[in-house]
C-alpha cells in the first residue's frame, strides 16, 4: 500500500480522481475522525462539469476494457482483493476513524470487502453466454452477456469500503467502467482506497473515477447521458428520488435502501443466546446499519426474562473512542443523526414507552438503549432509528408476531429465533423481507446469499455471487445462419 494512502500528504488531498488526481470544481471538504473531531485531510468535491468529463472519459475507456478477455479482467480484481487483505490492519484503522466503527467492525469490513472482490473476480471465469434453443433448422441461437457501459455507484458512509466493493468489483469484471461517488463523511476508505489500490492492481486508466460529493454531485451522476446504470445504497427518501429520475431516463437502477427489521423471539427460545444476538443486532456499529434489528418482537411469556437479559448485556458495553482498547461502541456519525435518534426515543417515551437503560447521550456518544412498552404508532416502532436502540414489543400468538413484523413499509431483513425449525420456517414464509435468518440476528452479511430489499427497502436487485452477473450486464441475443432464408415477399 502506498505509504501516503491514508495520510493528508497523499496526492488525493483536496482532489478528485478522474484520469489521475485533479483539482475539483466545487472545492474541498474536511474529513474528520468521528470520535475526536481531528481532521484527517480534505477531499475534493466534484461539480457537474467534473461528472460530465469523467463520464465521457469512462465511456471511451470502457470500449477497450470490454474487449479484454473476461478472465484477465478478473485477474486485476484478484490482485485488488489481495491488496485489501494484505493491508487489513491499516484499512481497519481508517474505517474506525472515518465511521466511528469499533475494531471488530473495521477488521471485519476489510476482510469481507476482500472476499466480495475475490468472488466478483470469479465472474470473469464463468460462461459468458449460453447456446439457446431454436425452432428453425439451420439457425444457431446464442444468448450472451454484454457490458452495460458506464455504471454510476453512489455509496453511504456507514460501511463505505464494503458497500462500494460489492458493486465496483462486479461492475468492472463484467466489462463496465465505473464512476464512484462516496459519501463525503467517509471518502478516504470509501473512495481514495479504490483509486489507489486498483491503480496498483493494474486497472487501466479511465475505467474508475472517484468523485466525492453531496446531493448536487449525485444528481449530476444520475442525469448524465453517458452513465447507463445507477447503483445506490442509502436512505429510502434519496432512493425514491434517484429511482424516479433514473427510471424516467430509462436507465437501469439498483436500490438498496433503509430497513426497520423485526427480530422475532418465540417462547421456546434460549433467552440468553437470543438476548445476546439481539443486542448485537441492535447495538453493533451503534445501530447504524440498514440491517440493524430495529424491533424486538418477543413472546409475552418470556418478555420479562428476555428484557432483563438484554438490559444486562447493554450495560456491559463500553462507549468511547473506538481506537481505545476495550471500547465496543463509538460515536454516532454526526450531530444531526444523533439528535434524530434522541428525538425518536424521547417522543416514544412521551407516548408511553419506558427506557430501562440508556436514552441519553454525551455529544455524539449515545448510550445503548432498551425500551419496553413499545407499540405500533410510536416512532421507535415505525421509523428506522439508525442509533443503538432496542425497542421491545410483545405478542401472544405466531399470527400476531407476523402481523407486527409486517406492519411496516420496509422489507429488508428479518429474523426468527426458535429451536422448533418447522414453526420458525412457517413464520419466515409469511414475512415481507428480502433477507430472513432463522436462529440468528438481522445484521448478517455474506457475498453468497442475495442481499436486497422489497417495499421501501429497495427495488429487488440483490448483491451476491448468484445475481451480480445479471445485475451488471445486459443479455444480447445473436442468431447465425449459413445463408439468408427465402421469404414469401
Amino acid at each position: 500500500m502506498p505509504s501516503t494512502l491514508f495520510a493528508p500528504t497523499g496526492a488525493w488531498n483536496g482532489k478528485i480522481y478522474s484520469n489521475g488526481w485533479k483539482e475539483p470544481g466545487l472545492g474541498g471538504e474536511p474529513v474528520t475522525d468521528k470520535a475526536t473531531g481531528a481532521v484527517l485531510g480534505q477531499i475534493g468535491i466534484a461539480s457537474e462539469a467534473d461528472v460530465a468529463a469523467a463520464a465521457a472519459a469512462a465511456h471511451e475507456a470502457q470500449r477497450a476494457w470490454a474487449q479484454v478477455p473476461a478472465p484477465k479482467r478478473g485477474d486485476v480484481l484478484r490482485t485488488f482483493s489481495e491488496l485489501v487483505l494484505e493491508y487489513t490492519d491499516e484499512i481497519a484503522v481508517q474505517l474506525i476513524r472515518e465511521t466511528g466503527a469499533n475494531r471488530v467492525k473495521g477488521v471485519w469490513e476489510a476482510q469481507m470487502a476482500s472476499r466480495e472482490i475475490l468472488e466478483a473476480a470469479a465472474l470473469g471465469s464463468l460462461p459468458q453466454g449460453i447456446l439457446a434453443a431454436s425452432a428453425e433448422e439451420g439457425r444457431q441461437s446464442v444468448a450472451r452477456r454484454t457490458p452495460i457501459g458506464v455504471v454510476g455507484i453512489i455509496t453511504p458512509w456507514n460501511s463505505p469500503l464494503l458497500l462500494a466493493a460489492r458493486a465496483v468489483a462486479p461492475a468492472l469484471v463484467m466489462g463496465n467502467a465505473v464512476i464512484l461517488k462516496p459519501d463525503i463523511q467517509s471518502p478516504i476508505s470509501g473512495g481514495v482506497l479504490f483509486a489507489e489500490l486498483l491503480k496498483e492492481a493494474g486497472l487501466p486508466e479511465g475505467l474508475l473515477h472517484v468523485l466525492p460529493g453531496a446531493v448536487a454531485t449525485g444528481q449530476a451522476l444520475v442525469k448524465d447521458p453517458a452513465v447507463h446504470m445507477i447503483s445506490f445504497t442509502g436512505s429510502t427518501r434519496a432512493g425514491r428520488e434517484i429511482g424516479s429520475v433514473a427510471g424516467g431516463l430509462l436507465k437501469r437502477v439498483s436500490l438498496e435502501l433503509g430497513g426497520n427489521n423485526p427480530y422475532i423471539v418465540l417462547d421456546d427460545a434460549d433467552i440468553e443466546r437470543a438476548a445476546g444476538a439481539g443486542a448485537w443486532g441492535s447495538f453493533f456499529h451503534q445501530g447504524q446499519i440498514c440491517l440493524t434489528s430495529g424491533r424486538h418482537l418477543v413472546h409475552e411469556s418470556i418478555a420479562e426474562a428476555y428484557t432483563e437479559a438484554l438490559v444486562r448485556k447493554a450495560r456491559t458495553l463500553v462507549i468511547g473512542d473506538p481506537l481505545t482498547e476495550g471500547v465496543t461502541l463509538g460515536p454516532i456519525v454526526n450531530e444531526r443523526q444523533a439528535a434524530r435518534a434522541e428525538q425518536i426515543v424521547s417522543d416514544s417515551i412521551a407516548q408511553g414507552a419506558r427506557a430501562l437503560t440508556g436514552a441519553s447521550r454525551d455529544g455524539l456518544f449515545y448510550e445503548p438503549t432498551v425500551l419496553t412498552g413499545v407499540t405500533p404508532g410510536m416512532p421507535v416502532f415505525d421509523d428506522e432509528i439508525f442509533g443503538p436502540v432496542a425497542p421491545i414489543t410483545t405478542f401472544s400468538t405466531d399470527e400476531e408476531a407476523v402481523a407486527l413484523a409486517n406492519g411496516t413499509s420496509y422489507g429488508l431483513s428479518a429474523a426468527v429465533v426458535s429451536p422448533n425449525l418447522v414453526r420458525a420456517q412457517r413464520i419466515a414464509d409469511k414475512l415481507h423481507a428480502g433477507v430472513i435468518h432463522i436462529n440468528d440476528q438481522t445484521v448478517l452479511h455474506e457475498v453468497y446469499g442475495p442481499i436486497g430489499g422489497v417495499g421501501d427497502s429497495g427495488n429487488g436487485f440483490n448483491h451476491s455471487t448468484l445475481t451480480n452477473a445479471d445485475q451488471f450486464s445486459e443479455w444480447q441475443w445473436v442468431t447465425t445462419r449459413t445463408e439468408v432464408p427465402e421469404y414469401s415477399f
Side-chain angles (χ1 to χ4, degrees):
M1 177 181 292
S3 60
T4 57
L5 178 57
F6 295 141
T9 54
W12 58 268
N13 194 42
K15 306 289 179 51
I16 59 175
Y17 187 79
S18 188
N19 287 351
W21 294 106
K22 56 185 282 189
E23 295 294 328
L26 295 179
E29 288 284 341
V31 185
T32 61
D33 182 312
K34 302 307 180 290
T36 67
V39 175
L40 306 176
Q42 275 215 340
I43 196 68
I45 304 300
S47 66
E48 183 176 353
D50 292 329
V51 172
H59 179 70
E60 185 64 29
Q62 187 270 331
R63 296 177 182 178
W65 180 241
Q67 299 305 309
V68 173
K72 292 187 177 180
R73 299 196 297 258
D75 288 342
V76 173
L77 274 297
R78 286 185 185 89
T79 303
F80 180 35
S81 172
E82 292 168 0
L83 289 170
V84 172
L85 191 60
E86 181 179 353
Y87 295 106
T88 289
D89 290 342
E90 293 93 329
I91 293 170
V93 170
Q94 185 65 25
L95 287 165
I96 292 166
R97 302 193 74 182
E98 281 189 273
T99 72
N102 65 17
R103 191 172 298 275
V104 170
K105 167 70 159 57
V107 171
W108 172 85
E109 183 171 344
Q111 292 174 341
M112 183 60 72
S114 175
R115 173 59 66 177
E116 289 270 358
I117 298 163
L118 182 63
E119 296 294 341
L123 297 177
S125 303
L126 296 178
Q128 301 299 298
I130 59 174
L131 182 64
S134 177
E136 294 293 327
E137 184 177 347
R139 174 185 292 155
Q140 178 177 275
S141 179
V142 171
R144 64 183 183 184
R145 297 186 187 278
T146 61
I148 293 172
V150 178
V151 178
I153 298 173
I154 302 174
T155 55
W157 60 267
N158 56 340
S159 294
L161 173 60
L162 176 61
L163 297 181
R166 70 176 186 177
V168 170
L172 288 172
V173 170
M174 297 308 295
N176 305 289
V178 166
I179 300 177
L180 172 62
K181 191 199 84 64
D183 192 290
I184 57 175
Q185 295 178 101
S186 54
I188 305 173
S189 53
V192 170
L193 184 151
F194 285 86
E196 291 288 349
L197 294 192
L198 274 167
K199 179 180 179 181
E200 186 174 340
L203 185 72
E205 190 172 82
L207 292 171
L208 174 72
H209 302 256
V210 179
L211 307 182
V215 174
T217 308
Q219 289 175 336
L221 183 60
V222 172
K223 293 177 182 178
D224 194 286
V227 177
H228 308 101
M229 174 185 173
I230 296 293
S231 172
F232 173 78
T233 303
S235 73
T236 297
R237 178 190 56 78
R240 282 197 180 99
E241 296 176 6
I242 289 170
S244 176
V245 174
L249 295 171
L250 302 182
K251 298 184 180 187
R252 180 177 298 183
V253 58
S254 171
L255 305 172
E256 191 203 299
L257 310 176
N260 188 5
N261 310 299
Y263 178 67
I264 303 171
V265 184
L266 301 183
D267 54 340
D268 53 1
D270 180 315
I271 291 174
E272 283 297 319
R273 289 202 173 193
W280 181 275
S282 285
F283 303 140
F284 183 60
H285 198 28
Q286 298 78 262
Q288 299 175 115
I289 302 174
C290 58
L291 298 169
T292 289
S293 300
R295 295 172 294 148
H296 294 235
L297 308 180
V298 184
H299 193 278
E300 60 186 10
S301 68
I302 63 166
E304 183 176 353
Y306 177 84
T307 300
E308 290 176 356
L310 188 61
V311 168
R312 189 178 348 107
K313 294 177 185 299
R315 287 175 175 166
T316 66
L317 301 178
V318 179
I319 307 168
D321 183 342
L323 279 175
T324 303
E325 191 69 30
V327 168
T328 47
L329 295 188
I332 300 289
V333 68
N334 57 41
E335 173 60 28
R336 179 184 61 80
Q337 181 56 42
R340 179 181 179 275
E342 184 178 43
Q343 189 68 52
I344 288 174
V345 170
S346 62
D347 287 351
S348 298
I349 291 173
Q351 295 179 27
R354 188 162 66 101
L356 301 186
T357 189
S360 65
R361 70 179 175 111
D362 180 8
L364 299 182
F365 297 93
Y366 197 99
E367 293 186 14
T369 299
V370 177
L371 298 174
T372 60
V374 174
T375 59
M378 294 181 181
V380 289
F381 187 94
D382 294 346
D383 299 338
E384 183 180 31
I385 305 167
F386 243 58
V389 181
I392 299 176
T393 301
T394 62
F395 64 87
S396 59
T397 67
D398 292 1
E399 291 72 23
E400 185 182 4
V402 170
L404 288 167
N406 289 338
T408 176
S409 58
Y410 293 101
L412 185 54
S413 182
V416 185
V417 180
S418 171
N420 186 335
L421 298 185
V422 173
R423 180 186 179 194
Q425 186 65 61
R426 190 181 301 121
I427 291 174
D429 290 343
K430 298 175 183 177
L431 298 179
H432 183 69
V435 178
I436 300 173
H437 303 298
I438 294 175
N439 288 326
D440 212 329
Q441 43 77 36
T442 58
V443 186
L444 184 60
H445 186 108
E446 284 190 344
V447 63
Y448 311 104
I451 293 180
V454 294
D456 283 357
S457 293
N459 61 352
F461 278 97
N462 297 328
H463 297 272
S464 74
T465 54
L466 296 172
T467 55
N468 280 339
D470 280 331
Q471 183 166 196
F472 294 103
S473 69
E474 303 279 11
W475 278 104
Q476 184 181 69
W477 184 37
V478 179
T479 69
T480 304
R481 298 183 66 116
T482 56
E483 60 182 23
V484 179
E486 293 185 9
Y487 285 88
S488 59
F489 59 93

